[in-house]
Amino acid sequence: MFRTALRTVLAHKARLLMTVLAVMLGVAFVSGTLVFTDTLGNAFNKQSAKSYKDVAVSVTTYASGDKAPDGTEPPAGLSPEILDKIGAIDGVASVTPRVDGFAGVADPDGKLIGNGWSNTGTNFAPGENGKDPAYDFSEGTGPTEAGQVALDKDTASRGKYKVGGPVRVSTNGPVKEYTLSGIFTTEDGAVNAGGSLVLFDPSVAQKLYLKPGYFQMANVTAAPGASDTKIRGEIESLVPEDAEVQTGKQLADQQAADIERELSGINQMLLAFAAIALFVGIFLISNTFTMLVAQRTKELALLRAVGASRRQVKRSVMAEALIVGLVASTIGFVLGVGLAVGLRSAMGQFGAKVPAGPLMITPVAVAAAFGVGVVITLIAAWLPARRAAKIPPVAAMSSVHAVATMKSLVLRNSIGAVLTLIGAAGIIAGAGMGKDGKFIIGAGAFFSLVGIIVLIPLLSRPIIALVQPLLNRLYGVAGKLAGQNAVRNPRRTGATASALAIGLTLVTGLTTVGVTLGTAIDKMTTDNIKADYMVTMAGGGDGLDESAVKALEKAPGVSAVSPQRASYLVINGKDTSASGVTPGDIQQLLTLKTETGSLDSLSGDAIAVDSDTAKSRGWKTGDTVKVKYADDKTARLKIGATYEPNEFVSPALISTDLVAPHEENSFTPEVYVSMDGGATETNELALVDALGDNPAISVADQQDIRNQFGGMINTALNIMYGLLGMALIIAVLGVVNTLAMSVFERQQEIGMLRAIGLDRRRVKRMIRLEAVVISVFGALVGVGLGTFLAWAIGETIRDSIPGYVLVLPWERIGIFLVLAGLVGVLAALWPARSAAKLNMLTAIKTE
């Protein structure tokens, strides 16, 4: 029977090609994902180990203004006295102190090199030999004077900077010009992430990022034979209690774990889409084997007649599936390795520097790829194999092609109806539970999707019947035959349409949720921000310096300026997040709806709180509260107003004049500006000039602000569309496969139609229309279910998104349906051409 199975596979290579392609694509995604993440993980881990090879112990404190991991206030840093004591410990060979923060460098066009969060500045820390062990200089030397800096090789190349030439460097304050003293190479993570690294003279770096004489961290090198653990213990007794002391091995292990955790997110996302592609592929594979079994009814019956048992027939079909699965998995695995290599190269094109390292093909990746490919194929072929085993020997004397009856669908329809009702009930129940109903909706979506797939053969008749009159009217005989052919075999039509239905369910659901969120965020932005411009640091990681705020206040044409300064107060013994703002101006820049009192009171000794906070703490306008500032000084302030909660400010508002004297290092994430004449090119240039043409500072107008808040959603949707494209490709293969099999089965019928006058042009049209009808039917089912799921998901996030209202993206849904029709047209090209080329006399004689 195995030889029979092998001969059958070889005899039906063309028919099984689509199945091989479906499995191959899914396996390529699985193997490519695993090889890609294993390769990156290995490369970054080796880089991490190399970075900490000479580090015995690392000491880390936290910069002023940051919070330590336990939420406590940070220590002041490492003083020169502490560093001297660490250097005097027995077994310590050297101590390399560091202090770092944001530093940005512009390219020749004045744009920031890097993405903001990975633009770093730190100090040059030469040892006794005058070299910094962390950096290898290819040109020049490290900075030894206040007016010098050194750049990493990639940044210098992208900015076209030369040793001895000027370099404009920005931190969170004004831009300053330095002389480039040298260019170096490094394994620093910020540079590998596509950012930049600037080395300053130690005194300059201390002044920029902490305070003179102090460092944030230090790496300790041990003398030969010294114990890292012993050194760590002695250092712990010298440094501030909140400082973190780790051995080099602990640091390398921690970084390796962080890398693995970050890569696992990418891994899981890509594998999820591989699973979707394989799930869609199940329908194509099952459809293929079902049709092959139907076409071989006489052959299988003869096998039964000459003594083959049901088990042998079943094993024969499963053996065919095993051969197909192995072949497809082998090709898919090779393509997956190529995909991993391509993804790694693509990362370099996007500015991410991937460390050198070998391609990692692990036994787990090989086993997963082949296991998934073979198991999926066997699962999909099991039902057709079971049907094949039930063919009685007497069927050898009957028609080859048995027509499915409605009676055979009764059980299937009953099961499908039950699953669909259970799923719909779960989705509705989950939607009613708000944010706690996400898992219920997920389970309901699974049951609904499975139920709809089971019911699709039943749904095909009434839905296609709705478009039958249109087909008849527009396309005559060809349209009438196409509609009838589409519902002739409901099982086949359902299996073909299922692949498109799954893909369109996901695409429609994600699109509807994305567009709805984008509209809500856009409305929230336009409703709350009245300012012409919002000024922030590029990348958003660091706050603006006070000098930037003052520069904006002095810019020509400015009518109102207010920072949104992040502050933390203790009001009547409770921690409260507050926004330091400019009284009088803030009302012109943000829409703050006052409920009681007046925001004008902020110009005196008063604060304002949002109504939710006031209600929860029992406050009302006119009450006096005790406020403790960051420096532990206290004051008694009045509550001058309450306002509606606003996403763009904190629960409390306070004048910057009141809070500034108590905060040595303020954090200002954004500054809002309005100008005479509104947002114009001239006004924007005035602000840019006032800020010293700083490449690290972003000046965004209203449209830029809207794009900034909604851009991530559009980017995520585009990524989803690209990944889900694989499922739709497999769906196209399914339509091609179904039509090709259908044409093969109906050779005699097509020959008769040609004999009675249906010309080749109308035969092609009939096949194309049949494909379009099946494709659009699957798309309609997917759009309906996807919209339903989007509504339910929206109900779980409604409370956290102000102004959330479900938005149906009719234009995009229309595009999806048009694309589904186009899928049908493209899928029908080969089958329609084959049908039109049939010799009518030969076709009529075909059994």
Side-chain angles (χ1 to χ4, degrees), residues 807-827:
V807 177
L808 293 179
W810 293 112
E811 291 182 1
R812 298 196 191 189
I813 289 174
I815 292 172
F816 297 156
L817 294 176
V818 170
L819 288 176
L822 183 60
V823 162
V825 172
L826 294 175

Side-chain angles (χ1 to χ4, degrees), residues 467-747:
V467 299
Q468 185 71 67
L470 183 63
L471 293 174
N472 296 347
R473 187 177 305 113
L474 294 178
Y475 301 104
V477 174
K480 182 176 182 180
L481 291 172
Q484 291 174 347
N485 289 334
V487 294
R488 176 182 292 184
N489 190 328
R491 290 181 186 274
R492 182 186 304 161
T493 298
T496 305
S498 293
L500 275 169
I502 295 168
L504 265 297
T505 295
L506 296 170
V507 170
T508 303
L510 290 170
T511 299
T512 303
V513 171
V515 169
T516 301
L517 284 175
T519 302
I521 292 173
D522 188 66
K523 185 176 185 300
M524 180 174 66
T525 303
T526 54
D527 286 354
N528 287 287
I529 298 179
K530 295 190 290 186
D532 295 321
Y533 296 100
M534 181 175 75
V535 180
T536 60
M537 290 295 294
D542 291 81
L544 291 157
D545 188 75
E546 188 64 27
S547 61
V549 180
K550 292 179 180 178
L552 289 170
E553 290 174 343
K554 296 176 182 177
V558 170
S559 58
V561 177
S562 177
Q564 206 277 81
R565 181 170 181 163
S567 301
Y568 292 91
L569 308 175
V570 179
I571 304 178
N572 281 358
K574 292 186 177 182
D575 290 337
T576 306
S577 174
S579 293
V581 298
T582 302
D585 284 8
I586 191 64
Q587 298 96 307
Q588 302 176 48
L589 301 166
L590 296 179
T591 302
L592 296 170
K593 298 179 181 178
T594 306
E595 294 193 354
T596 60
S598 172
L599 292 177
D600 292 336
S601 62
L602 291 175
S603 58
D605 291 341
I607 60 171
V609 295
D610 68 38
S611 54
D612 288 349
T613 302
K615 183 178 179 182
S616 65
R617 302 190 184 182
W619 298 338
K620 62 182 183 297
T621 302
D623 287 351
T624 300
V625 293
K626 182 181 179 182
V627 175
K628 184 168 75 171
Y629 296 105
D631 59 358
D632 290 336
K633 292 183 179 179
T634 61
R636 301 195 68 81
L637 303 177
K638 284 187 177 182
I639 296 178
T642 61
Y643 55 91
E644 286 185 11
N646 189 295
E647 295 295 319
F648 293 90
V649 294
S650 300
L653 295 178
I654 188 170
S655 170
T656 51
D657 291 338
L658 288 178
V659 76
H662 305 283
E663 295 179 344
E664 182 179 351
N665 295 291
S666 64
F667 179 70
T668 303
E670 59 261 338
V671 178
Y672 295 104
V673 182
S674 281
M675 304 190 73
D676 298 330
T680 65
E681 186 175 346
T682 302
N683 282 339
E684 184 173 340
L685 283 174
L687 295 182
V688 171
D689 289 342
L691 293 166
D693 196 16
N694 193 327
I697 298 180
S698 166
V699 178
D701 61 19
Q702 281 274 351
Q703 187 58 51
D704 293 331
I705 297 170
R706 293 163 66 185
N707 292 340
Q708 178 180 329
F709 285 102
M712 290 188 295
I713 294 174
N714 291 328
T715 300
L717 279 178
N718 290 333
I719 293 172
M720 295 296 181
Y721 290 155
L723 293 172
L724 288 171
M726 176 176 288
L728 296 179
I729 290 172
I730 294 176
V732 172
L733 297 177
V735 178
V736 174
N737 203 30
T738 295
L739 291 174
M741 294 294 187
S742 178
V743 168
F744 179 84
E745 285 182 358
R746 290 151 45 197
Q747 288 186 64

Side-chain angles (χ1 to χ4, degrees), residues 297-493:
T297 301
K298 183 177 286 188
E299 175 190 331
L300 296 172
L302 284 172
L303 286 174
R304 291 292 316 283
V306 298
S309 67
R310 288 187 174 184
R311 181 174 296 179
Q312 286 177 309
V313 171
K314 184 177 179 180
R315 285 179 179 174
S316 174
V317 177
M318 294 299 286
E320 293 175 35
L322 177 63
I323 294 168
V324 171
L326 286 171
V327 171
S329 297
T330 302
I331 300 172
F333 182 77
V334 173
L335 286 176
V337 173
L339 177 64
V341 173
L343 286 173
R344 182 172 176 174
S345 299
M347 289 186 68
Q349 298 298 320
F350 286 104
K353 182 181 175 184
V354 181
L359 193 68
M360 297 298 295
I361 303 176
T362 64
V364 172
V366 177
F370 278 86
V372 165
V374 172
V375 169
I376 288 293
T377 309
L378 291 176
I379 290 173
W382 183 77
L383 277 177
R386 189 166 173 268
R387 292 194 198 104
K390 290 183 177 180
I391 296 174
V394 72
M397 297 178 289
S398 62
S399 172
V400 176
H401 309 303
V403 179
T405 63
M406 289 301 294
K407 184 177 179 181
S408 65
L409 297 171
V410 171
L411 179 60
R412 174 178 181 146
N413 294 338
S414 300
I415 294 173
V418 171
L419 289 174
T420 304
L421 287 173
I422 291 173
I427 292 171
I428 293 171
M433 294 169 64
K435 63 181 181 180
D436 298 323
K438 293 178 182 177
F439 291 107
I440 303 296
I441 291 174
F446 174 77
F447 281 107
S448 291
L449 191 57
V450 173
I452 290 292
I453 289 168
V454 174
L455 275 178
I456 270 187
L458 177 65
L459 296 173
S460 64
R461 290 184 179 274
I463 293 178
I464 294 177
L466 292 175
V467 299
Q468 185 71 67
L470 183 63
L471 293 174
N472 296 347
R473 187 177 305 113
L474 294 178
Y475 301 104
V477 174
K480 182 176 182 180
L481 291 172
Q484 291 174 347
N485 289 334
V487 294
R488 176 182 292 184
N489 190 328
R491 290 181 186 274
R492 182 186 304 161
T493 298

